[in-house]
C-alpha cells in the first residue's frame, strides 16, 4: 500500500532483508518539510535515524500505530528529531532538539561502545542533554556550528 504523506515532504525509513524483501516502513511527517538526514544500523537490525522536522510531526510506526512529536520548548523553524528503533521497526525512544531558528542534523552513527553520536548545524542556542526526557536538557551553545553529542543507546 502507498505510504501516508502528511505534508509537503515526509521522511520514510524502510528496512529490507538481505534478499531484498521489505521488512517494515516508518513514516515521519507533518504539514511542512520533514527530511531524513542520516541513519545508522546498530548491528542487531535496529538503529537510529536523524530527521530535520518543522512543527508537530506524526511518526507512523511499522505496526501502524503513531507517536506525535511536538516542537522542542521555545524552538522555531526546523528541529532535530532522533528516533531509536528496534529490529522489528518498533520505536525505543525519540529525542527532539531545537532553538530559536533552523537546526539540522548532519550525520549520525554508533561508536565502538554502542553509543550514538551525531553532528548538527544549529542557529542560536540549543539545549542538549543525554536523558530520555526532553525536559532533562542542559544549555550548550550560542552560535551556529557543528556539535557532536553522545547518547547512550
Amino acid at each position: 500500500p502507498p505510504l501516508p504523506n502528511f505534508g509537503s515532504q515526509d521522511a520514510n525509513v524502510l528496512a529490507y532483508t538481505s534478499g531484498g524483501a521489505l521488512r517494515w516502513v516508518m513514516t515521519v511527517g507533518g504539514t511542512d518539510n520533514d527530511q531524513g538526514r542520516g541513519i545508522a544500523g546498530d548491528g542487531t537490525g535496529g538503529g537510529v535515524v536523524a530527521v530535520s522536522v518543522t512543527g508537530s510531526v506524526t511518526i507512523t510506526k511499522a505496526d501502524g500505530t503513531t507517536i506525535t512529536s511536538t516542537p522542542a520548548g521555545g524552538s522555531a523553524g526546523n528541529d532535530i528529531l532522533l528516533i531509536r528503533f528496534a529490529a522489528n521497526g518498533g520505536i525505543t525512544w525519540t529525542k527532539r532538539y531545537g532553538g530559536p531558528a533552523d537546526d539540522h542534523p548532519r550525520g549520525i552513527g554508533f561508536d565502538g561502545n554502542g553509543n550514538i553520536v551525531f553532528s548538527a548545524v544549529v542557529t542560536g542556542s540549543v539545549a542538549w542533554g543525554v536523558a530520555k526526557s526532553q525536559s532533562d536538557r542542559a544549555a550548550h551553545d550560542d552560535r551556529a556550528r557543528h556539535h557532536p553529542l553522545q547518547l547512550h543507546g
Side-chain angles (χ1 to χ4, degrees):
L3 298 173
N5 183 279
F6 298 101
S8 179
Q9 296 177 344
D10 291 342
N12 294 290
V13 180
L14 297 88
Y16 289 88
T17 67
S18 59
L22 182 64
R23 291 178 32 223
W24 54 263
V25 178
M26 180 190 322
T27 302
V28 181
T31 58
D32 292 310
N33 293 334
D34 306 300
Q35 301 174 347
R37 296 292 180 106
I39 191 167
D42 65 7
T44 68
V48 64
V49 62
V51 184
S52 177
V53 298
T54 305
S56 292
V57 295
T58 300
I59 305 164
T60 304
K61 301 187 301 181
D63 64 4
T65 60
T66 61
I67 296 174
T68 300
S69 175
T70 57
S75 70
N78 292 91
D79 284 348
I80 299 161
L81 176 62
L82 305 180
I83 305 169
R84 179 75 160 102
F85 59 88
N88 66 0
I91 296 173
T92 306
W93 51 255
T94 66
K95 296 184 183 304
R96 187 160 174 172
Y97 304 102
D102 288 337
D103 308 301
H104 300 281
R106 291 292 188 224
I108 195 158
F110 288 89
D111 70 11
N113 294 318
N115 298 312
I116 298 164
V117 293
F118 78 99
S119 65
V121 174
V122 301
T123 306
S125 296
V126 173
W128 301 106
V130 296
K132 290 183 181 178
S133 168
Q134 286 187 351
S135 63
D136 295 333
R137 296 177 295 185
H140 182 62
D141 193 25
D142 61 358
R143 60 190 184 279
R145 64 185 175 126
H146 286 274
H147 298 280
L149 176 68
Q150 194 173 59
L151 299 171
H152 301 282

